[in-house]
Amino acid sequence: MIEVGQQGAFSVNSVGIERQPFPLSFSVHEAEGLWRVSAGAAQAGELVDLLVAVANDAVALVSLETNSFLDEDWYSLRPGLIAAELGVPCTVHSLGSWASGTNGLSEEFLVMDRDLLPRLLDGTWSPYELTLIDLPADVTPEQLDELALVLGTTGVDEPLLNRLEDSRVWFSGHDDCYVLLETRDPSLPAAVLARLLSLLAGSALAELTEESISRVPEPGPWLPERLIATAPHWIGALGNVTEDLVTIGLAALPGPWRLGISFPQQADLTATLDVRHGTWRITPAD
């Protein structure tokens, strides 16, 4: 079971001036033992337990932007000060001004035990740009400088983990909604897709019942694995929503979803959450 609040990614994000509901999107590509996923909508805190489960003993938060922690001049606090405000022990590794303006880098890294990451991303604040990567616990300052160089010189569409032998997962969240990640763990893409389905259903139930939090079960691995085996690119939209049943229409796409791509006229499959029995099923769309 997971808890989905009214301030989750699906609840607070919308598309266009008509503020249409933000669709579920998922795309996965596998090459050379790496899986690259683009997805939406999810906040970092909504996926943090999945990231921690496959990560090394330490994680480095390498980029952070937020309006939740501002100084007297309305500039975002440095990541180290934010961690201090939240009471999260970490090591601050300064990169200096050269990193300023480099995509995916802050001027300082936060390095912490992976089990402290959920404490940092506790849902009480909202990063609109956050990037993290896992590391061995004994990482040295020199290795962190090398990591910064790799991160700063890798193109957006280039595989990153191929250049970082000791890392297992890289995550980047944009606008507290869009997700990009790379992983060496073949189970993580399916886990992310299962989580997206649960988040979408949970956000709908929270709105319907006007409760601050809804608790929903996640589908077993068989469901997202079946979807991924059927097609690598998916879009999903809510169908009927009652207190007993939530349906999600799913349509395969020819390529990754992009903003502006509407849901097709006909879904391919329907995922249904039976709220009372706590089960999921997937059937051909009507």
Side-chain angles (χ1 to χ4, degrees):
M1 302 288 288
I2 65 167
E3 293 184 348
V4 183
Q6 287 191 354
Q7 295 303 310
F10 281 115
S11 300
V12 301
N13 287 287
S14 58
V15 177
I17 59 175
E18 297 180 355
R19 300 193 62 80
Q20 295 295 317
F22 206 93
L24 180 157
S25 65
F26 177 86
S27 180
V28 62
H29 174 73
E30 186 272 330
E32 300 179 5
L34 293 179
W35 286 262
R36 187 174 177 90
V37 172
S38 59
Q43 299 166 347
E46 294 172 326
L47 302 178
V48 64
D49 59 313
L50 304 181
L51 304 177
V52 166
V54 303
N56 271 300
D57 291 334
V59 294
L61 192 154
V62 300
S63 177
L64 173 62
E65 299 289 343
T66 180
N67 291 321
S68 299
F69 293 92
L70 303 175
D71 62 20
E72 62 275 9
D73 295 319
W74 301 97
Y75 289 107
S76 176
L77 294 182
R78 288 180 177 270
L81 294 176
I82 293 174
E85 289 271 356
L86 294 168
V88 178
C90 63
T91 299
V92 177
H93 178 74
S94 179
L95 296 177
S97 59
W98 73 267
S100 179
T102 302
N103 185 44
L105 290 181
S106 293
E107 291 186 20
E108 62 184 31
F109 286 178
L110 301 186
V111 182
M112 67 189 70
D113 185 283
R114 68 176 184 183
D115 293 328
L116 292 174
L117 191 59
R119 186 168 156 188
L120 181 73
L121 303 174
D122 63 358
T124 62
W125 62 289
S126 178
Y128 63 84
E129 192 80 43
L130 184 147
T131 303
L132 59 86
I133 191 165
D134 71 319
L135 303 164
D138 58 354
V139 64
T140 65
E142 292 76 19
Q143 289 172 322
L144 291 173
D145 286 336
E146 293 174 4
L147 170 64
L149 181 61
V150 171
L151 292 172
T153 56
T154 300
V156 175
D157 295 325
E158 292 182 70
L160 174 66
L161 294 186
N162 280 341
R163 302 177 65 186
L164 298 167
E165 295 181 357
D166 294 328
S167 294
R168 301 172 185 167
V169 61
W170 168 85
F171 167 91
S172 180
H174 177 64
D175 280 348
D176 208 9
C177 170
Y178 301 101
V179 170
L180 284 175
L181 67 85
E182 282 186 23
T183 182
R184 300 185 192 279
D185 192 303
S187 68
L188 184 57
V192 169
L193 180 51
R195 179 61 53 86
L196 291 173
L197 289 165
S198 301
L199 291 172
L200 181 54
S203 66
L205 287 171
E207 181 178 358
L208 177 69
T209 61
E210 298 183 346
E211 298 286 343
S212 60
I213 290 176
S214 65
R215 299 184 73 248
V216 296
E218 292 195 275
W222 65 269
L223 193 156
E225 288 172 358
R226 175 180 167 185
L227 290 174
I228 292 172
T230 301
H233 314 294
W234 289 93
I235 185 172
L238 282 170
N240 295 327
V241 179
T242 71
E243 293 189 11
D244 296 327
L245 294 174
V246 179
T247 64
I248 299 173
L250 296 164
L253 296 176
W257 178 80
R258 295 288 184 267
L259 192 63
I261 297 178
S262 301
F263 193 88
Q265 291 184 347
Q266 177 64 41
D268 297 307
L269 299 169
T270 299
T272 301
L273 167 63
D274 185 322
V275 179
R276 293 193 180 277
H277 294 93
T279 59
W280 286 83
R281 67 177 185 271
I282 190 165
T283 57
D286 296 334

